[in-house]
Amino acid sequence: MKVLVPVKRVVDYNVKVRVKSDNTGVDIANVKMSMNPFDEIAVEEAVRLKEKGVATEVIAVSCGVQQCQETLRTAMAIGADRAILVQTDEELQPLAVAKILKALVDKEQPGLVILGKQAIDDDCNQTGQMLAALADLPQATFASKVEVADGKAKVTREVDGGLETISVSLPAVITTDLRLNEPRYVTLPNIMKAKKKQLDIVKPEDLGVDVKPRLKTLKVTEPAKRGAGVKVPDVATLVQKLKTEAKVI
């Protein structure tokens, strides 16, 4: 069984992002970039499935600029067997990525697609669901435990009220939550091995996909600065301030 793992190159989660002076977006010049943490968990889970003998091949996929090759090399250092970069300089939105992944699913015919539930840059949480809809595949989102056997995946999901366990027939789309696993530390020998693994580069037009943005970002602003706290002498004053100033009661 092939496992397809989409990964995204994002601003590293340790970096404090800054909004551009013209409010058109986030400044990523000279900023450390890395693999989206949720996708890193997805790669780890796919590699673990291969180590258990459930999967035969793990294919990492990324969509975006040429520098995404670094992210794919990291995925291969974790344990992916080969990688595909769909290279484009266009701004990619979730629907465009889902269409690209649908074309790759048709081409590669994986038994499982596993990806992060959301990217930490746009927080959209849409790509997995859109891919499942486009490819007409069953989906299990927010997975905290995955067991694959007898052509089915038993997935424990994190929901508002606790945990929900569902069974989906393969092929399927699974999106990962933080508690699914802890990704392994990437060692230097594995980084060196990853440089020799196969990395194919294609264009969206080669897959017959139109990636033109459907949404337009009007303005990006930083959140308002939090005001200083105040001490109140008694409960009556607190209630009064909550009514008149905070307007929460």
Side-chain angles (χ1 to χ4, degrees), residues 98-99 101-102 105 113 115 126-141 171-175:
K99 286 179 178 177
L101 295 177
K102 157 72 165 63
V105 165
V113 181
L115 66 160
Q126 295 173 343
T127 305
Q129 293 89 325
M130 286 177 169
L131 170 61
L134 291 171
D136 196 23
L137 294 174
Q139 61 177 306
T141 55
V173 177
I174 295 176
T175 70

Side-chain angles (χ1 to χ4, degrees), residues 9-25:
R9 177 177 180 261
V10 298
V11 175
D12 189 88
Y13 67 92
N14 287 313
V15 173
K16 188 179 187 312
V17 293
R18 291 186 179 85
V19 175
K20 289 179 181 174
S21 56
D22 58 1
N23 296 115
T24 56

Side-chain angles (χ1 to χ4, degrees), residues 64-81:
V65 294
Q66 186 182 357
Q67 289 89 332
C68 290
Q69 289 187 40
E70 300 162 18
T71 309
L72 289 171
R73 293 288 177 200
T74 302
M76 289 191 284
I78 294 171
D81 298 292

Side-chain angles (χ1 to χ4, degrees), residues 13-115:
Y13 67 92
N14 287 313
V15 173
K16 188 179 187 312
V17 293
R18 291 186 179 85
V19 175
K20 289 179 181 174
S21 56
D22 58 1
N23 296 115
T24 56
V26 172
D27 188 3
I28 59 170
N30 302 315
V31 168
K32 184 186 176 187
M33 307 291 280
S34 60
M35 188 190 301
N36 179 44
F38 290 101
D39 295 336
E40 200 173 351
I41 291 166
V43 176
E44 174 67 28
E45 193 64 22
V47 172
R48 289 187 187 187
L49 287 173
K50 190 187 171 191
E51 289 170 349
K52 288 176 188 172
V54 175
T56 53
E57 186 181 28
V58 177
I59 308 162
V61 179
S62 193
C63 311
V65 294
Q66 186 182 357
Q67 289 89 332
C68 290
Q69 289 187 40
E70 300 162 18
T71 309
L72 289 171
R73 293 288 177 200
T74 302
M76 289 191 284
I78 294 171
D81 298 292
R82 61 186 173 96
I84 302 168
L85 171 60
V86 183
Q87 188 173 324
T88 175
D89 292 328
E90 283 269 12
E91 179 204 344
L92 290 175
Q93 293 171 351
L95 180 60
V97 176
K99 286 179 178 177
I100 290 170
L101 295 177
K102 157 72 165 63
L104 290 173
V105 165
D106 291 343
K107 183 181 174 185
E108 296 287 345
Q109 295 292 308
L112 181 65
V113 181
I114 184 164
L115 66 160

Side-chain angles (χ1 to χ4, degrees), residues 73 76-77 188-198:
R73 293 288 177 200
M76 289 191 284
L188 184 58
N190 285 339
I191 292 171
M192 300 310 289
K193 283 179 194 170
K195 291 182 179 178
K196 296 177 183 175
K197 290 184 180 179
Q198 179 184 342

Side-chain angles (χ1 to χ4, degrees), residues 201-246:
I201 299 175
V202 296
K203 303 277 187 188
E205 48 267 31
D206 299 336
L207 301 170
V209 177
D210 174 20
V211 296
K212 277 193 296 192
R214 263 56 174 183
L215 305 173
K216 182 181 177 185
T217 302
L218 300 178
K219 192 177 182 185
V220 177
T221 56
E222 287 190 17
K225 285 194 170 64
R226 192 172 171 181
V230 293
K231 284 185 178 180
V232 292
D234 50 44
V235 174
T237 311
L238 172 62
V239 171
Q240 184 63 24
K241 283 186 174 290
L242 289 173
K243 272 185 180 176
T244 57
E245 293 180 22

